[in-house]
Amino acid sequence: MKPILPTVYDPRTTEEKWYRFWLENGLFAPELSSSAPPFCVVIPPPNVTGSLHIGHALNNTLQDILVRSKRMQGRKTLWVFGTDHAGIATQNVVEKQLARKGLSRNDLGREEFIRRVWKWKKESGNTIVQQLKKLGVSCDWSRERFTMDEGLSRAVQHVFIKLYNEGLIYRGNYIINWGPRCQTALSDLEVEYHEQEGHLYYLKYPLAEGQEYMVVATTRPETMLGDTAVAVHPEDKRFAHLVGKELILPIVKRHIPIIADDFVDPEFGTGSVKVTPAHDPNDFEIGLRHNLPQIVVMNPDATMSEQAGKYAGLDRTQCRREIMEELKTEGCVEKIEPYQHAVGHCYRCKTVIEPTVSKQWFLKMKELAKPAISAVRQGRVKLIPKQWENTYYEWMNNIRDWCISRQIWWGHRIPVWYCGGCDEVIVSVETPDECTKCKSKALTPETDVLDTWFSSALWPFSTLGWPDWPEPEFKVFYPTSVLVTGFDILFFWVARMIMMGLKFKGDVPFKEVYIHALVRDAKGAKMSKSKGNVIDPLETMESYGTDAFRFTLTALTAQGRDICLAEKTIEGYRNFINKIWNASRFCLMNLEGYEQKALTELKLEIADHWLLDKLQAVVSKVSSALDKYEFSAAANELYHFFWHQFCDWYLELIKPRLYKAEDTLERLTAQNIMLRVLESSLKLLHPIIPFVTEEIWQQFYPGESIMLAKWPVAAESSAGIDSQEVCIGSEKMGKIIAIIEEIRHIRTMLNISPAKKVAVHLMTDTPETINIIDKYTSYIQNLGRTEKLIIEQGVEKPTYAATGVVGDVAVFIDVQGIDLTEEETRLSRRIDKLKQELTPMEKKLSNAGFLQKAPPEVITKQKNKQAELTDKLGQLETNLNNIQKLK
């Protein structure tokens, strides 16, 4: 076998080639006729408007690792891919395109606008697909779905109609979150709350009779125009005598009642609060309890409505300013205080939302939530890490009805028609010709569409063919095996899928949910374009290669801990990819005369036993880690095994057998163990770094993809030879390695050049240890860089020697002829320099003024630097002391 790997690994020429090979050979599709147990994953569908960001990269890398490893383990594996129609986001994209031409969707009309959106989706909606392929994901692209394709549309209609017929979907006036920019209702989960500096306005409301007044505190004086009461707590004695009386609403001069309600917090503001049922969710509930009118004082675009009187047409912020001026003129302002509070924003366009009363479609959630709570409590769905269960229960136990209608055009149109003759509401899959009740043909279709998350909630079973029967995939793959997702859509999506799966299929949609953390920048800050700290996956893959990027994300993914990602880390793992390449190249270059042999036919040494033992351990640990979603543990075990045990130790130890062995069997043994371990390593590494492993694998097995190679089994790593013999050999090798490491440590401490060979004395009173060292002296000489190795029993320590101890072995390095004075001078200079650096730093950190005024991050940085220099100083002083003892 000839060495044909280039000197340097080039991801650019490798990645596209092998991804095309996998696609052309249909390697991502499951064999449905196979009797193997299934493994199925549905991808969290990226928005059709999306581009690959760091969150996508992490999420899909982790999914791909699971899918590739299960495929190699022989499971019948399906990874379902699809995209989400992303109602608001996609409509916004197309509306912006129209705006650049001076048009709006209303200029086009609904039908033409929808046609334009489909056209945009066809031309531009495939971007994320190509980017995920660049990442190397092994989805079955032949089964690609879209949340508005024909099959999923039928599923959505079927679900809506069934829920409506069961009385779980209803239409009514309710307080909702309204997005003035996107002009649609938003669910509670689609509102992001940000802390903002605002004001608390203390307003005087005079009593209708007498000279008294009440002071109410509010952050939104413009909504006072819709006030229909002032509320106090029923046990607040300050206001007990006022309950039941009336106030005069300033400016408007409307009489409003003073009511008592348990919701009021006596500690907030003055203890009395204005009640605006049409513009605050809590006030809405108070209004229902006390039968208060709902006065909508704002239009859908956040300007003031006709109900606002002379303020009609003003923007809400301008109205606030003008109302405050008039209230001051009337003497109705007691005071204004700075106030920080959480303000709701649209999660898409970031505009401040406006709570308002509107007629919308709702889905009752309490009944659906109960079995979904039980499913997690009973372990039918496991949340990993388990800590997320409490968050899940808290949200599900306090769940509110879901506003499922949206006032946009792009999406699943609600299958409802209204009869103009008798007001009948007709719910149907097909467009009705006439009213089912009065036979009138004056039917008006509902203009609202369903919330994007409604169709996404059906994703696990709708993508597998439901409700169109029969679908072989459905029977085989539902419920799916695991869902990999971020915590930010635990309620948007995960909880709703569990509810819908139980409701419509009588079973959970997945057995496990692995919830990964956020990817942050190197300092732990959240990535954002405004901060300029975003790491672009596409640029990173172009610079470092996809495998290095994937391995970095995997190595840093520890359960329950956010990832702090730096380019320096990615660069470090690129070095690991190069190490794998160079080690494989070395193996290929040393296969002259190679012949595959069974382990029983080989002449095994303790280094071989040791490596086979370590291989067995890493196979077991990596397989177990992936089963438990401990991705960082799997990656770090592989890194340590391949770089340190295989490359640093084994490949160095076998070079004499490969280069100079007169015994052909010795050479064949080294070659066979080397290749056995390399192949197993490539298999274990493949799910994380698919491209480089495929490139190397093809050198050994041209045309046979590593994707189809059998996953290593720990028990088979040393099959055919006595496991006790392997264990004993590994223990002996461990002792040899410890001796070599101690020799290296002493050399480093004395700054002895790696090129200089030294005389080493090993002393022990244990005959067995002497036999081991005697037999494998060459190991110690080659890797310890010794010119002379003396093994003695029960003698005195040499006069001029540096000393170390390893178990029952004393290690002495003869320092005669080594210029220790020069090293002593060098160390003394470095120690002096470090002390000069530390002195001003210590003064600064003992200065109370500095500690009071400096930003916390600056103090932390100084303390970390001080600790680092102090540690380094201690090491240098220890080395200097050791040298001085030898003189």
Side-chain angles (χ1 to χ4, degrees):
M1 193 178 295
K2 296 180 181 179
I4 53 176
L5 284 180
T7 307
V8 178
Y9 173 60
D10 182 4
R12 291 181 183 86
T13 60
T14 302
E15 293 172 1
E16 186 179 345
K17 172 181 68 177
W18 291 120
Y19 202 87
R20 187 170 60 250
F21 172 83
W22 296 330
L23 285 175
E24 289 172 353
N25 287 276
L27 300 183
F28 299 156
E31 180 51 64
L32 291 176
S33 61
S34 167
S35 60
F39 181 83
C40 182
V41 177
V42 292
I43 198 170
N47 287 350
V48 72
T49 57
S51 289
L52 190 71
H53 57 62
I54 199 73
H56 288 136
L58 171 64
N59 179 269
N60 287 282
T61 293
L62 300 183
Q63 289 180 84
D64 198 42
I65 290 168
L66 295 175
V67 169
R68 286 179 181 270
S69 62
K70 295 300 180 185
R71 191 183 283 122
M72 294 174 74
Q73 289 168 22
R75 301 281 290 272
K76 182 160 47 182
T77 304
L78 172 63
W79 186 5
V80 179
F81 176 79
T83 50
D84 193 290
H85 65 278
I88 296 173
T90 306
Q91 178 156 318
N92 281 344
V93 168
V94 179
E95 284 194 272
K96 285 178 182 177
Q97 286 184 345
L98 291 173
R100 287 195 287 269
K101 298 177 182 178
L103 297 172
S104 72
R105 58 173 165 155
N106 294 312
D107 294 325
L108 269 63
R110 184 165 190 150
E111 188 175 333
E112 175 58 20
F113 178 77
I114 295 299
R115 191 190 70 77
R116 292 279 187 102
V117 180
W118 276 108
K119 182 174 182 289
W120 176 90
K121 190 261 179 187
K122 184 177 180 181
E123 293 172 353
S124 306
N126 203 39
T127 301
I128 189 73
V129 174
Q130 300 309 315
Q131 292 169 342
L132 284 169
K133 289 178 178 179
K134 169 71 175 168
L135 187 65
V137 302
S138 58
C139 300
D140 184 355
W141 301 104
S142 69
R143 290 175 171 80
E144 182 177 343
R145 302 304 300 267
F146 178 53
T147 51
M148 280 181 62
D149 67 27
E150 288 184 12
L152 268 69
S153 294
R154 283 193 295 276
V156 167
Q157 291 172 333
H158 183 98
V159 166
F160 182 93
I161 292 169
K162 182 173 175 59
L163 291 172
Y164 178 83
N165 289 337
E166 291 182 10
L168 292 174
I169 286 179
Y170 65 94
R171 188 171 185 245
N173 284 317
Y174 202 79
I175 190 82
I176 52 113
N177 305 299
W178 181 262
R181 158 65 182 81
C182 296
Q183 289 283 290
T184 185
L186 300 168
S187 73
D188 292 342
L189 291 172
E190 292 170 312
V191 179
E192 295 178 347
Y193 287 91
H194 304 294
E195 288 292 325
Q196 288 188 358
E197 294 293 339
H199 293 90
L200 196 57
Y201 302 89
Y202 290 80
L203 310 180
K204 298 177 182 178
Y205 286 17
L207 265 71
E209 296 180 2
Q211 301 301 309
E212 285 186 86
Y213 60 84
M214 293 186 74
V215 178
V216 298
T218 179
T219 58
R220 306 189 64 210
E222 67 277 11
T223 63
M224 66 164 289
L225 302 173
D227 286 0
T228 54
V230 165
V232 298
H233 194 277
E235 296 178 8
D236 195 333
K237 294 178 182 178
R238 295 174 296 174
F239 306 111
H241 67 290
L242 296 175
V243 174
K245 295 186 176 182
E246 288 190 334
L247 296 164
I248 298 175
L249 186 64
I251 300 176
V252 181
K253 308 307 180 187
R254 182 167 60 240
H255 284 228
I256 59 175
I258 301 169
I259 61 174
D261 194 276
D262 288 330
F263 176 78
V264 179
D265 178 5
E267 302 298 319
F268 176 76
T270 63
S272 59
V273 295
K274 59 191 280 303
V275 181
T276 321
H279 292 286
D280 182 277
N282 297 316
D283 292 2
F284 178 80
E285 298 294 341
I286 293 174
L288 292 180
R289 288 194 289 273
H290 296 271
N291 198 29
L292 298 175
Q294 300 165 354
I295 302 174
V296 178
V297 296
M298 286 191 203
N299 295 316
D301 61 356
T303 59
M304 305 309 291
S305 71
E306 289 184 6
Q307 296 275 21
K310 62 184 176 182
Y311 297 105
L314 292 181
D315 175 80
R316 54 186 168 176
T317 53
Q318 185 183 354
C319 180
R320 179 182 300 182
R321 289 192 294 269
E322 294 195 15
I323 278 181
M324 285 307 300
E325 287 302 318
E326 185 165 351
L327 287 170
K328 288 175 185 176
T329 302
E330 289 189 6
C332 292
V333 179
E334 182 172 272
K335 61 179 177 177
I336 302 172
E337 293 178 342
Y339 185 67
Q340 187 176 49
H341 61 132
V343 179
H345 293 71
C346 171
Y347 81 116
R348 282 291 175 199
C349 68
K350 309 307 177 187
T351 302
V352 174
I353 61 101
E354 192 60 57
T356 191
V357 169
S358 172
K359 185 161 279 190
Q360 300 286 339
W361 288 93
F362 294 88
L363 174 58
K364 295 178 182 177
M365 301 301 287
K366 291 284 186 185
E367 184 179 325
L368 295 172
K370 288 175 184 176
I373 293 169
S374 298
V376 175
R377 288 200 189 281
Q378 294 165 3
R380 295 166 64 198
V381 176
K382 293 180 181 177
L383 302 186
I384 303 164
K386 191 176 175 64
Q387 68 204 44
W388 285 105
E389 287 185 8
N390 289 335
T391 310
Y392 175 84
Y393 295 140
E394 183 179 353
W395 187 78
M396 294 290 275
N397 284 322
N398 295 286
I399 199 166
R400 293 172 55 181
D401 287 358
W402 175 13
C403 177
I404 57 173
S405 50
R406 297 292 180 269
Q407 288 66 51
I408 57 176
W409 289 354
W410 172 246
H412 291 282
R413 198 161 179 174
I414 293 175
V416 167
W417 287 260
Y418 304 102
C419 177
C422 67
D423 295 329
E424 178 74 357
V425 176
I426 304 161
V427 179
S428 171
V429 172
E430 304 297 333
T431 303
D433 294 324
E434 59 183 24
C435 175
T436 52
K437 186 176 181 181
C438 72
K439 305 304 179 184
S440 168
K441 296 187 181 294
L443 302 180
T444 303
E446 172 62 78
T447 56
D448 288 358
V449 300
L450 288 165
D451 178 7
T452 295
W453 294 102
F454 190 91
S455 53
S456 298
L458 319 180
W459 190 247
F461 53 89
S462 63
T463 53
L464 293 175
W466 185 89
D468 300 329
W469 300 99
E471 273 290 345
E473 288 94 332
F474 192 91
K475 294 178 181 178
V476 173
F477 294 111
Y478 190 90
T480 64
S481 307
V482 61
L483 179 78
V484 179
T485 186
F487 65 83
D488 53 331
I489 53 175
L490 181 59
F491 308 117
F492 268 125
W493 191 46
V494 180
R496 289 166 175 170
M497 283 192 288
I498 296 173
M499 288 185 269
M500 290 299 191
L502 289 166
K503 174 67 178 174
F504 288 92
K505 294 314 306 154
D507 203 350
V508 296
F510 26 71
K511 297 160 191 171
E512 294 177 318
V513 180
Y514 174 71
I515 302 166
H516 59 73
L518 281 177
V519 184
R520 299 181 178 273
D521 72 7
K523 296 177 182 177
K526 189 173 181 179
M527 291 187 187
S528 70
K529 290 180 180 178
S530 61
K531 292 179 182 175
N533 63 347
V534 173
I535 292 179
D536 186 319
L538 297 171
E539 291 178 4
T540 303
M541 289 188 284
E542 186 65 26
S543 300
Y544 298 100
T546 299
D547 287 328
F549 181 52
R550 285 174 57 123
F551 197 92
T552 303
L553 293 174
T554 310
L556 297 179
T557 300
Q559 288 185 17
R561 193 171 70 215
D562 284 348
I563 293 171
C564 295
L565 185 62
E567 286 207 24
K568 189 175 180 182
T569 310
I570 303 169
E571 187 176 340
Y573 285 117
R574 180 180 62 183
N575 294 340
F576 179 54
I577 304 302
N578 291 334
K579 187 74 172 179
I580 295 168
W581 182 263
N582 291 333
S584 302
R585 190 168 180 272
F586 170 85
C587 295
L588 283 164
M589 292 172 66
N590 287 280
L591 291 179
E592 186 178 345
Y594 170 72
E595 180 185 344
Q596 187 174 350
K597 297 277 187 183
L599 290 178
T600 51
E601 300 177 87
L602 300 174
K603 189 177 181 180
L604 299 174
E605 297 183 4
I606 61 169
D608 306 316
H609 287 138
W610 172 79
L611 188 64
L612 291 173
D613 185 45
K614 297 302 178 187
L615 174 63
Q616 185 168 329
V618 79
V619 169
S620 178
K621 288 175 182 176
V622 170
S623 299
S624 174
L626 292 181
D627 285 343
K628 293 185 286 187
Y629 309 104
E630 294 172 351
F631 295 98
S632 63
N636 291 323
E637 286 288 347
L638 284 166
Y639 182 95
H640 174 71
F641 172 76
F642 194 91
W643 192 310
H644 299 301
Q645 295 175 333
F646 182 55
C647 295
D648 288 354
W649 285 104
Y650 188 74
L651 292 187
E652 293 301 320
L653 284 167
I654 65 171
K655 281 179 179 177
R657 284 195 274 170
L658 293 174
Y659 297 163
K660 303 173 185 175
E662 295 178 3
D663 186 337
T664 304
L665 188 55
E666 280 189 8
R667 180 182 175 86
L668 274 175
T669 298
Q671 290 173 329
N672 271 268
I673 300 302
M674 174 180 75
L675 282 190
R676 173 183 283 260
V677 173
L678 176 63
E679 286 188 12
S680 294
S681 299
L682 292 173
K683 292 175 186 177
L684 293 171
L685 286 161
H686 174 72
I688 306 174
I689 48 175
F691 293 110
V692 69
T693 49
E694 184 72 88
E695 177 72 10
I696 296 167
W697 186 264
Q698 292 287 333
Q699 311 308 312
F700 298 102
Y701 303 103
E704 297 180 23
S705 176
I706 192 172
M707 280 183 59
L708 303 180
K710 183 183 175 186
W711 185 257
V713 177
E716 296 175 4
S717 301
S718 55
I721 57 174
D722 191 314
S723 59
Q724 190 173 359
E725 182 184 347
V726 171
C727 187
I728 293 170
S730 182
E731 286 179 8
K732 291 177 180 178
M733 187 64 211
K735 182 165 285 191
I736 295 292
I737 286 173
I739 292 169
I740 294 169
E741 286 178 333
E742 186 61 25
I743 293 170
R744 288 173 170 176
H745 172 69
I746 296 170
R747 291 179 65 113
T748 301
M749 184 180 68
L750 299 178
N751 199 33
I752 299 172
S753 167
K756 183 175 178 60
K757 292 191 174 184
V758 294
V760 176
H761 295 248
L762 302 178
M763 295 185 182
T764 180
D765 291 328
T766 310
E768 184 185 351
T769 301
I770 291 174
N771 291 335
I772 295 170
I773 297 170
D774 263 337
K775 188 170 182 181
Y776 294 101
T777 298
S778 62
Y779 287 3
I780 300 172
Q781 287 180 320
N782 289 335
L783 273 63
R785 299 293 293 157
T786 67
E787 62 180 356
K788 183 166 64 174
L789 181 63
I790 301 168
I791 307 154
E792 299 174 305
Q793 186 174 5
V795 296
E796 294 293 322
K797 170 191 170 183
T799 307
Y800 298 101
T803 309
V805 178
V806 182
D808 60 349
V809 179
V811 179
F812 305 106
I813 291 184
D814 191 343
V815 295
Q816 291 186 83
I818 297 175
D819 187 355
L820 297 179
T821 303
E822 183 181 337
E823 180 61 13
E824 182 180 9
T825 303
R826 187 184 70 83
L827 285 174
S828 297
R829 286 174 180 164
R830 288 186 65 192
I831 288 169
D832 289 342
K833 187 177 179 182
L834 276 178
K835 286 180 176 178
Q836 288 172 11
E837 285 185 59
L838 273 167
T839 300
M841 198 174 290
E842 288 167 346
K843 285 182 181 178
K844 184 183 284 186
L845 289 170
S846 62
N847 184 324
F850 170 75
L851 295 176
Q852 270 186 332
K853 296 176 183 177
E857 61 270 20
V858 172
I859 296 171
T860 301
K861 188 176 180 180
Q862 286 288 308
K863 285 182 176 179
N864 290 342
K865 185 66 176 174
Q866 181 194 33
E868 180 188 337
L869 294 179
T870 302
D871 184 56
K872 190 178 290 185
L873 179 63
Q875 292 175 17
L876 293 177
E877 287 177 335
T878 300
N879 289 354
L880 179 61
N881 185 48
N882 289 330
I883 286 175
Q884 289 170 341
K885 286 179 182 178
L886 293 171
K887 291 184 70 180

